[in-house]
Amino acid sequence: MARLRTYSLTWAALIILLLPGSLEECGHISVSAPIVHLGDPITASCIIKQNCSHLDLEPQILWRLGAELQPGGRQQRLSDGTQQSTITLPHLNHTRAFLSCCLNWGNSLQILDQVELRAGYPPAVPRNLSCLMNLTTSSLICQWEPGPETHLPTSFTLKSFKSRGNCQTQGDSILDCVPEDGQSHCSIPRRHLLLYQNMGIWVQAENALGTSMSPQLCLEPMDVVKLEPPMLWTTDPSPEEAPPQAGCLQLCWEPWQPALHINQKCELRHKPQSGEASWALVGPLPLEALRYELCGLLPATAYTLQIRCIRWPLPGHWSDWSPSLELRTTERAPTVRLNTWWRQRQLDPRTVQLFWKPVPLEEDSGQIQGYVVSWRPSGQAGAILPLCNTTELSCTFPLPSEAQEVALVAYNSAGTSRPTPVVFSESRGPALTRLHAMARDPHSLWVGWEPPSPWPRGYVIEWGLSPPSTSNSNKTWRMEQNGSATGFLLQENIRPFQLYEITVTPLYQDAMGPSQHVYAYSQEMAPCHAPELHLKHIGKTWAQLEWVPEPPELGKSPLTHYTIFWTNTQNQSFSTILNASSRGFVLHGLEPASLYHIHLMAASQAGATNGTVLTLMTLIPEGSELHILLGLFGLLLLLSCLCGTAWLCCSPSRKNPLWPSVPDPAHSSLGSWVPTIMEEEAFQLPGLGMPPITKLTVLEEDEKKPLPWESHNSSETCGLPTLVQTYVLQGDPRAASAQAQSQSGTSDQHPSTLLNVSTQPPRPYHAQREPSI
């Protein structure tokens, strides 16, 4: 039934909505302002008309902003019978939203009316207004920065007017220019412009919350003209013209045709194609001729070039850079000095190995394509015979017997360098002395010497691996031009932990001195292994060790000290440091019959190396010593026992718990009324049918006179008093007689010892000691 009722209400709501005068015509919303500043409050009211007869008498009006219900609506009935609900939104934080006035109709929310709300900001002042006169389109193009987003529809208008002064007085207005949506630039056509007359220009921004205007710009259209870039190219030199110099380029350009009547100046920029060099600017270029020779460039190098122009001397804007032009400079002959060095083959003295190094004389010395070694025969005028043509920095060739000098040149496509003479002189000068070398770091070696007298004009220093390998057969060499030098730092082709052979040869005028050799390591290494430990003697608490030092090796740093480490079975480690001259050591303080692990470490400035581990066990104590130790231990134990016994005996508090006091029958108070039994008396038990004795009580009596009824006849027991009869031992007479005889030995000290006989029924025997009476 509930579901049927819901369906009925829904169909009724639909029918009412389709009828004239439905719910949509019953309500109307009015707002304080449909567009406000973002975050400002807004007030809205919804009025329900009185003619909506199908509504309840007191309908509840609800408010919804977007998809969220808004609380706080105040509802009241007006004097004309209409219902009114008012709501105030304290902060409208939506840039665009729909506010709806609703009623609950059935199980759904029905909208009576709704209104669109907008929130944003007034337009900011447009900034950075600038204009350019484009002669290609014949229009004045202006652009600006619109400022931050307003979240509201904002229109921009480019306004301008003509002025004959400095834009202080406004002349004829120019048609407003409105850009397309989303654009911040606009073009004023040529027909609205006077190219050589001032005009005032500004931008106006407007939306529902306000209007703003940019600062006014006063300009003459031709003063902001921007030309198109010229065309740049090069021409091939004609046969009649001389080729361009090395490092120079011949350039031509053509200005933009529509701007030929405008005076211009142009500038050029260039940079090498290889590398990351920055642009170099050249200008202004001469205006009389449209040709230019650009020099000062690197020879045989590819360059990228561009050109641009500007209206000059009147104001204007630079054109864009022209498309890039790529050209390559011509080469120049090498301008280098060749430092040379030679040596003869030992097996063939007429075969010469010549080495050289080019030293640039200028910053741009030209590229080198190869080297030529030649000589001029003395009998042939003008003849030059080549001996070697190579691109390497060395050459081996057979030297003619009559040749004492050869010439070396470097060449490229532009020419050759100045010839460098090489004279094959003999070793006739003095040798240098005290040649030495040492490592500065893993990649450098310092070689020093004492210069001979007289000083040479220079030195040749060679170095290479020793012994030379197949991959490092070529030595590195360098020429020192300072004859007074006393050393040189070698930093080329030096690797760590390598042995190098260094050769130094003094050079004199037309002669050279004998070569001197020295060997050095670029970096010394730590010892390869430590000496091996040997056990020389051992005792119960000590061990004597010895070792043989390793012989010194080339490339190994000298030892600085030794360190001995030893560890016992409890993993306790000990160590001691010894100087490098030590050959042995004695370990003291060891435990007898204990196992130890010992190793030796050899250390130097370059590092340390551990040797092999030596394991040993100290000696066990001998038999006689063991007996002495056991005897001492036994004596100590006996003394401890005696001392403990004496202490227990002398201390009553310790004695009574161990040995309680036993009553002395001789001093018992019972002896005052119990007859004394002499040691010769023996009780005769009258019968054997009595029950066995289960309890004995020992009594003592004092020294008293004999009582009248005491008798010396032990067999007459019937005449004894009843009290005495109770103490007569009952049972076997022979047992009693034996007991009396056994007690006769003590009757001297205790003559009045009696037996208290109990005639209780038999029970298990328990020895019981009675207290003293």
Side-chain angles (χ1 to χ4, degrees), residues 64 67 95 100 137 231 249 290 550 682 697 737 765:
R64 187 174 68 180
T95 58
S100 304
T137 59
M231 295 297 297
L249 292 174
L290 300 179
E550 297 291 332
T697 302
S737 176
Y765 175 76

Side-chain angles (χ1 to χ4, degrees), residues 104-247:
N104 278 325
W105 185 264
N107 291 332
S108 61
L109 195 66
Q110 299 297 327
I111 298 176
L112 298 179
D113 193 12
Q114 66 178 5
V115 64
E116 182 182 9
L117 301 180
R118 300 292 297 267
Y121 301 103
V125 176
R127 298 175 299 170
N128 297 332
L129 175 62
S130 61
C131 299
L132 294 175
M133 182 63 195
N134 192 327
L135 296 181
T136 303
T137 59
S138 296
S139 60
L140 183 65
I141 303 174
C142 297
Q143 60 182 5
W144 59 91
E145 294 180 7
E149 176 65 33
T150 62
H151 305 290
L152 296 174
T154 303
S155 61
F156 294 88
T157 304
L158 182 65
K159 294 181 173 293
S160 58
F161 62 89
K162 299 176 183 178
S163 176
R164 293 188 177 274
N166 294 328
C167 303
Q168 299 296 329
T169 58
Q170 183 174 349
D172 297 337
S173 298
I174 301 177
L175 186 64
D176 292 344
C177 181
V178 179
E180 297 181 3
D181 293 339
Q183 294 184 354
S184 57
H185 60 85
C186 195
S187 300
I188 301 176
R190 169 69 177 83
R191 63 180 179 271
H192 300 303
L193 301 175
L194 293 178
L195 297 181
Y196 296 97
Q197 184 178 352
N198 285 337
M199 57 185 301
I201 304 174
W202 72 97
V203 178
Q204 177 177 302
E206 184 178 3
N207 62 14
L209 297 180
T211 302
S212 63
M213 291 184 296
S214 68
Q216 183 176 290
L217 186 65
C218 185
L219 55 86
E220 185 179 311
M222 285 302 295
D223 289 346
V224 293
V225 66
K226 181 178 179 180
L227 306 177
E228 293 295 328
M231 295 297 297
L232 183 65
W233 75 91
T234 184
T235 59
D236 296 330
S238 60
E240 294 80 10
E241 297 179 353
Q245 298 180 4

